[in-house]
Amino acid sequence: MRVKIMFILGGTSARTIAEDISKELQQPLIEVTYKRFPDDEFYVRILDDVKGEDVLIIQTTYPDTKIVELLLMQDAAYEAGADEITVALPYFGYSRQDKKFENGEPISARAIAEHISLHADYVITVDPHKDHLLDFFNVPAYSCSAVVEIAKYLKEKDVDFVLAPDKGAKKRAQQAAGIIDCEYDYMEKIRIDGTTIKIKPKNLDAKNKNVAIIDDIISTGGTMAKSIRELKKQGAKKVSVACTHGLFVGGAKEKLLSAGCDEIISTDTIEDEFSKVKTAPCIAEMFLKISQ
Ligand code: R5P
């Protein structure tokens, strides 16, 4: 009986993750050529023979150009006669426009998901902003979580407690705290008067504590900066921020540092200087689970 190989195709936004998953699963990376035409259009060519083989394509759909790259990689795998195509989206860009907030708007996450579904048999994503995003794909879609890996990193940092920036994100903090073996809480908004709102941990006292705030995304850093500033005012010794998806746009890094942040931690779903945590273990684990 011929043993089926699973080929891994790492897009330009997920090369490190693809290499890590290839090592983790002990399956080969597809040899591929990428280039850009003079007018900047993308070109991809799969050089291995993947006819009848399963292919795992890994690509973060951020920024916009990476979406087109992904669609072309999927088409190339389909044209090459791949059997099952699994698409792993370490970060699913456009997922925050997951509904119509105003009349006349698109449901962007659904629009992108439907296009990705065209040549995919399965989709895996990491820490989606909302669970219902998985329903936008027209094929079975699964999520895995980087919280375990983030918590393992934080465990080495003597964190006294983990905080969610709001009540909605409490579950993530709870999960991380379970692994770190520490307490958890969330930042609660307290209205002081008509114009003043104070935020503080709901139950725990930050004074002299080493605190880590954990969220799914840091974008402009505004949410985290507000919490850091308040925690420092309340006497926190150290405040670190950790997220799965570090977009760090609009001067986020400076905003976080000037608020008094002691360490910024993100995963490699979007590669940057703060990508200290790998997501290959959780993606590979989910891939193995769905391929059984
Ligand atoms: C909100 O629902 C998310 O979990 C993040 O808290 C938010 O997207 C972070 O955005 P920013 O860094 O711009 O405050």
Side-chain angles (χ1 to χ4, degrees):
M1 195 182 80
R2 189 176 72 98
V3 179
K4 235 175 151 185
I5 305 170
M6 203 270 305
F7 282 92
I8 297 165
L9 175 45
T12 63
S13 63
R15 279 197 245 232
T16 312
I17 301 181
E19 279 166 22
D20 292 343
I21 291 182
S22 161
K23 283 187 204 133
E24 191 108 10
L25 298 177
Q26 297 187 348
Q27 296 293 327
L29 282 170
I30 288 182
E31 219 185 304
V32 73
T33 300
Y34 309 116
K35 69 174 181 188
R36 289 211 168 256
F37 288 109
D39 60 2
D40 215 30
E41 287 185 352
F42 183 68
Y43 171 90
V44 60
R45 182 172 169 220
I46 291 175
L47 301 171
D48 285 308
D49 179 9
V50 297
K51 193 168 181 350
E53 306 289 358
D54 292 343
V55 173
L56 169 63
I57 304 176
I58 307 162
Q59 173 88 329
T60 270
T61 52
Y62 173 86
D64 288 8
T65 48
K66 305 299 174 188
I67 299 170
V68 175
E69 291 184 13
L70 172 61
L71 298 179
L72 297 186
M73 288 189 289
Q74 289 179 258
D75 200 70
Y78 170 77
E79 279 299 321
D83 186 12
E84 277 185 351
I85 300 175
T86 301
V87 174
L89 309 169
Y91 172 59
F92 175 25
Y94 280 94
S95 57
R96 284 184 292 171
Q97 180 78 20
D98 63 333
K99 61 180 183 188
K100 271 194 280 185
F101 296 91
E102 306 274 357
N103 280 338
E105 290 178 349
I107 301 176
S108 310
R110 186 188 61 195
I112 306 294
E114 285 180 348
H115 283 88
I116 292 171
S117 301
L118 181 63
H119 290 310
D121 294 285
Y122 303 98
V123 172
I124 300 171
T125 189
V126 183
D127 287 332
H129 188 54
K130 300 258 172 67
D131 286 339
H132 76 98
L133 287 161
L134 299 177
D135 301 333
F136 288 150
F137 294 91
N138 297 325
V139 294
Y142 305 87
S143 68
C144 57
S145 175
V147 172
V148 174
E149 298 301 320
I150 293 174
K152 283 189 201 160
Y153 180 91
L154 290 173
K155 201 174 167 67
E156 304 300 312
K157 301 275 168 177
D158 289 329
V159 166
D160 292 310
F161 63 84
V162 182
L163 272 176
D166 54 52
K167 195 174 179 182
K170 200 172 89 176
K171 250 175 71 188
R172 191 172 288 112
Q174 182 180 15
Q175 193 195 349
I179 296 160
I180 300 168
D181 195 19
C182 68
E183 293 187 286
Y184 72 94
D185 202 354
Y186 66 89
M187 295 297 279
E188 185 187 44
K189 276 188 196 159
I190 301 162
R191 182 162 290 283
I192 308 289
D193 55 42
T195 51
T196 330
I197 286 173
K198 194 174 165 197
I199 50 169
K200 63 177 274 304
K202 168 108 174 97
N203 301 304
L204 299 175
D205 184 357
K207 198 165 169 48
N208 293 325
K209 293 285 162 51
N210 178 3
V211 182
I213 319 172
I214 183 164
D215 205 354
D216 61 338
I217 300 179
I218 296 178
S219 179
T220 64
T223 309
M224 287 293 201
K226 213 185 305 162
S227 296
I228 298 163
R229 205 163 270 124
E230 290 296 328
L231 289 164
K232 285 276 167 128
K233 254 195 244 163
Q234 288 153 30
K237 187 167 69 187
K238 240 174 125 181
V239 181
S240 325
V241 294
C243 67
T244 303
H245 311 297
L247 293 164
F248 302 116
V249 294
K253 176 181 167 181
E254 293 67 30
K255 211 178 286 169
L256 294 170
L257 295 179
S258 70
C261 187
D262 293 282
E263 184 173 0
I264 304 171
I265 303 142
S266 72
T267 77
D268 54 4
T269 62
I270 300 157
E271 281 200 61
D272 52 50
E273 61 182 299
F274 307 115
S275 299
K276 301 170 184 175
V277 175
K278 289 190 176 287
T279 51
C282 73
I283 298 173
E285 191 188 345
M286 179 50 75
F287 179 79
L288 289 176
K289 208 189 268 178
I290 66 176
S291 6
Q292 270 160 16

